[in-house]
Amino acid sequence: HVHYDAARVFLEAGIDVLCDKPLTNEFSEAADLVRLTRESGCVFGVCFVMASFPMVRQAREMVQAGLIGRVNQIHVEFMQDWMVPDDVAEADHVKWRLDPSKSGTTSCTGDIATHAHHLATFVSGLEMTDLRAEMHVCGAPKALEDTVIMMTRFEGEIPGTLIATRLASGNRGGLRVRVYGSEGGIEWDLEKPDYLKYNRYGDSDAILSRGQGSGITPRVERFVRLARGFSEGVIEAWANLYVEFAMAVAARRDGIQLPPGYLDFPTVADGAKGVRFVDAAVQSNRAGGAWVTISPVKID
């Protein structure tokens, strides 16, 4: 709830911004940040950090290269368990997440389902166009939902599912994305971030591991710090996000034109799309789980 005012002041002063997600609680504010970013020429990044894991970048590269054929379904979930205790809502770091005056109309959906939404679109390269959502309070009574379950559709009428919850006991970093196509599939799991499962239909499954060589593309190798067998995790993913953002800022200030597609960090437009996604989920839930079209975000 404090993102918009702070980001607006910095943009108006010509200062580049890196902002957490969800970008804002209101789409009108998100749209204004898109406008201010365009008019100021500043760099605006959004912290969908999961897209900065090397093996997520590898998955995106492989899907774009057609290695699973034509995408035909997309499934993503973010399963956590830290809200299982009935008294968790009394903790100071939790209260604001369940306060509509601060978290807006959602809690779980805006906080972690937005990660799932961005990851699904980032890996598949396809925008989510429609959804039907049901929000639930599965644990102790709360002012906002702790679980959301969705059916989704992407460009080309491609179906999918999205589930996010904080009450899946035994799951801590349970973010998983699975993209299947006409020739195979690809799967990534946050709790095993160094590995990517890849299958060509009819062949043995392949497990790609983060590191240099062995099928890892040169674009992905830029984000690799350690050799295979020496684990990297979310700290390194944050570092990758910061590095890409810093490169964009330096290039802007030094008047350097970077090669097209060289940087893939999430931008203010991705943040605005996340807010649109949340709005559509709320609208669908209030309509009893009806299908709702996600309005596109106008960039220019």
Side-chain angles (χ1 to χ4, degrees), residues 122-159:
F122 185 82
V123 172
S124 70
L126 300 171
E127 295 293 336
M128 187 182 294
T129 58
D130 305 87
L131 60 79
R132 53 184 303 182
E134 292 186 0
M135 298 178 184
H136 303 275
V137 175
C138 293
K142 303 175 185 70
L144 295 171
E145 89 289 355
D146 55 39
T147 300
V148 63
I149 300 172
M150 303 185 193
M151 294 180 64
T152 58
R153 280 201 295 259
F154 295 79
E155 294 174 280
E157 297 293 312
I158 293 169

Side-chain angles (χ1 to χ4, degrees), residues 123-291:
V123 172
S124 70
L126 300 171
E127 295 293 336
M128 187 182 294
T129 58
D130 305 87
L131 60 79
R132 53 184 303 182
E134 292 186 0
M135 298 178 184
H136 303 275
V137 175
C138 293
K142 303 175 185 70
L144 295 171
E145 89 289 355
D146 55 39
T147 300
V148 63
I149 300 172
M150 303 185 193
M151 294 180 64
T152 58
R153 280 201 295 259
F154 295 79
E155 294 174 280
E157 297 293 312
I158 293 169
T161 58
L162 187 154
I163 302 173
T165 182
R166 296 179 173 130
L167 280 94
S169 189
N171 289 262
R172 283 89 191 185
L175 177 62
R176 304 176 185 92
V177 61
R178 293 166 288 176
V179 182
Y180 301 117
S182 58
E183 298 175 23
I186 204 157
E187 305 179 17
W188 181 80
D189 183 339
L190 174 60
E191 293 192 356
K192 306 178 184 68
D194 280 352
Y195 301 97
L196 184 66
K197 181 180 177 182
Y198 170 56
N199 168 266
R200 295 280 296 180
Y201 181 74
D203 293 344
S204 299
D205 293 345
I207 304 296
L208 283 71
S209 59
R210 190 259 319 136
Q212 305 291 331
S214 296
I216 306 303
T217 69
R219 280 171 55 89
V220 173
E221 286 184 340
R222 292 188 288 132
F223 302 100
V224 173
R225 289 174 169 77
L226 302 175
R228 287 181 174 82
F230 296 86
S231 60
E232 292 183 14
V234 72
I235 300 299
E236 289 81 6
W238 278 108
N240 289 335
L241 173 62
Y242 295 150
V243 166
E244 283 200 302
F245 176 76
M247 290 176 67
V249 170
R252 179 180 82 84
R253 295 184 179 183
D254 293 343
I256 296 172
Q257 188 71 33
L258 294 173
Y262 187 72
L263 301 178
D264 262 338
F265 69 92
T267 67
V268 66
D270 296 303
K273 290 174 184 177
V275 178
R276 277 288 202 211
F277 160 78
V278 172
D279 285 351
V282 171
Q283 182 182 346
S284 174
N285 179 67
R286 289 175 175 171
W291 280 104

Side-chain angles (χ1 to χ4, degrees), residues 4 8 11-12 31-41:
Y4 172 72
R8 176 178 54 80
L11 290 172
E12 289 175 345
D32 199 42
L33 292 180
V34 172
R35 177 187 64 81
L36 286 168
T37 300
R38 181 178 66 249
E39 293 177 354
S40 69

